[in-house]
Amino acid sequence: MHSPEPPQPDALERAVNQFRTGWELAHHDLPRSAAAPRCSEPPPEFIPWFCGPSLLGYLSPTRARLLAAHLAPTRLQAHRLDWDAGPWSAPARSAALQDALLRLRALGHLPGWRNEAFAFYAEGCETPLLQVERAGFYFLGMRSDAVHVNGFGADARMWVARRSAAKQVDPGLLDNLCAGGVAAGETLEICLRRELFEEAGIRLAAKHLLRFRGTTEVGRVRDGGWHVERLHVYNLLLQANEQPCNRDGEVQEFLLLNAAELAGLVRTEQCTPDAAAAIAQGLYAPQGAPVQ
């Protein structure tokens, strides 16, 4: 008996495979990980802060003292900060931390207020421990979630977006086709569809080939705080006559690049660390099932 033939790759998989070949040729002199900054460790002077057994993030000593002064009940020790709100409900924790963030903002300690809430999920939990203002996540070193989409053409080139020069974070650097934080109460699919339309002008439809490629984390110091973002990465095949068009003012331009061109930009740090990690995740994670 003949063994069944393996399924043939579809157009998206063929484009990804061809792009990956060019990517590896461009990085032949480097380990694979060199093209994709991953989550590293916070600076050694930063201290962890906890709510009950749940690690919330890492704080500089200055910010740990600020938070302890404005959030009760907290206990600041030499090597950790404990917020004794573990038995509280999620709404009670959210209200208390949001109130502390408002006080820090009034005192001039918390820039970049967005009037948008993010949800924090403790490790292994599917329901949020709390949700507060997005700027508070960056200030307090809390992990947030984001969606990133690698946009491929059938000719195995990739679309990348140059971030607006007015962006507070990474202005003018190159990003994926679209990327954005997952707001509190928002599913990954809703965020994906919203960001695709707002940033790239693409309405996801049945004609599109889209696959989830898993998650990866990137951590770095940002505006004096340690921030970790969990990236939920997708690969998308754009139609031959389809070009991205920004609608929300967050993108200066879109570029369609081959693997060698994009690899060179990553190596010279002209791409955001998040984008570089999402590209590698999209190229090397196991191929997922199509997203409907």
Side-chain angles (χ1 to χ4, degrees), residues 266-287:
V266 169
R267 291 179 70 162
T268 54
E269 299 183 349
Q270 295 182 60
C271 294
T272 70
D274 294 355
I279 292 167
Q281 181 73 17
L283 294 178
Y284 293 105
Q287 180 79 358

Side-chain angles (χ1 to χ4, degrees), residues 7-17 209-211 237 287-288 290:
Q8 294 300 306
D10 59 24
L12 173 58
E13 191 174 352
R14 289 195 298 271
V16 172
N17 291 343
L209 285 174
L210 175 74
R211 282 190 173 85
L237 183 69
Q287 180 79 358

Side-chain angles (χ1 to χ4, degrees), residues 42 54 76 89 103 109 131 137 163 183 190 200 244 249-250 269 279:
S54 300
L76 179 58
S89 67
R103 288 197 293 272
H109 296 299
Q131 60 183 57
F137 273 68
R163 295 166 66 87
I190 290 174
E250 296 191 0
E269 299 183 349
I279 292 167

Side-chain angles (χ1 to χ4, degrees), residues 61-149:
T62 298
R63 290 187 180 178
R65 290 191 292 270
L66 273 173
L67 187 59
H70 293 280
L71 180 65
T74 52
R75 292 174 288 115
L76 179 58
Q77 305 174 57
H79 302 294
R80 63 184 285 159
L81 174 69
D82 286 282
W83 180 30
D84 296 325
W88 299 5
S89 67
R93 286 190 289 264
S94 301
L97 185 54
Q98 181 78 357
D99 187 58
L101 292 174
L102 285 167
R103 288 197 293 272
L104 291 170
R105 180 194 184 197
L107 293 170
H109 296 299
L110 187 55
W113 195 272
R114 299 281 292 271
N115 288 315
E116 178 185 356
F118 275 179
F120 177 84
Y121 293 83
E123 200 66 44
C125 293
E126 296 184 358
T127 57
L129 189 73
L130 55 85
Q131 60 183 57
V132 294
E133 159 63 30
R134 176 176 183 166
F137 273 68
Y138 303 144
F139 187 82
L140 299 178
M142 299 166 64
R143 183 183 65 195
S144 60
D145 289 270
V147 162
H148 281 245
V149 179

